[in-house]
Amino acid sequence: MKKLLSAAVLAFGLIFAASAQEDVDLTQPATQIRFPKEFNLGKWYDAKWDATWEFTSDNIKLYKGSALLVSFEGKVRDFTVKAGAKGLVVKFTCDETNRTYSFTKPISLSTDLEYVVDNFATKDHHEATIKRK
């Protein structure tokens, strides 16, 4: 019930924000991960890569199975959180991994996230929908 209520409040907020003419920037580009306290934190699973993305209030971690691959704490630049017509978008760049990451929570009651990873060294591009654990 608590998750459903949180999802409904988030969806309402996103719909309100999406009705604006432009995206609403909830942060300034930063070098630290800081999610608004209303952001739904937790873990999402990418079945294609057997990987888990974990979002905490001040960090994002990527696991392969149970092994930690990357902790992004202190390694990001241009961290932003924006709400707009597509939903809530979290975007950041990590020079250590040579990638730009974008996670979108579409405006819906689903807990799925859509993400895009672009490798700026090799120009590889990966898109997926990940499921909440």
Side-chain angles (χ1 to χ4, degrees), residues 21-48:
Q21 292 284 348
E22 298 179 19
D23 288 346
V24 177
D25 188 356
L26 303 175
T27 62
Q28 295 296 320
T31 58
Q32 293 183 337
I33 297 168
R34 292 283 179 242
F35 286 106
K37 60 182 165 182
E38 299 82 14
F39 191 80
N40 197 2
L41 304 172
K43 295 180 180 183
W44 280 262
Y45 181 68
D46 182 348
K48 179 177 180 182

Side-chain angles (χ1 to χ4, degrees), residues 41-85:
L41 304 172
K43 295 180 180 183
W44 280 262
Y45 181 68
D46 182 348
K48 179 177 180 182
W49 300 102
D50 185 29
T52 300
W53 290 91
E54 179 180 21
F55 295 83
T56 63
S57 63
D58 61 354
N59 198 4
I60 299 171
K61 296 177 184 176
L62 176 61
Y63 295 89
K64 174 75 172 172
S66 61
L68 178 64
L69 293 179
V70 180
S71 171
F72 290 97
E73 185 175 27
K75 300 176 185 175
V76 302
R77 65 179 166 88
D78 303 328
F79 179 83
T80 59
V81 179
K82 294 183 180 184

Side-chain angles (χ1 to χ4, degrees), residues 84-114:
K86 293 182 179 181
L88 186 66
V89 179
V90 174
K91 188 172 184 178
F92 63 93
T93 299
C94 177
D95 291 326
E96 182 177 299
T97 62
N98 293 319
R99 289 170 174 79
T100 298
Y101 302 86
S102 176
F103 295 87
T104 302
K105 168 55 181 95
I107 300 173
S108 72
L109 292 179
S110 170
T111 58
D112 295 352
L113 296 178
E114 297 171 1

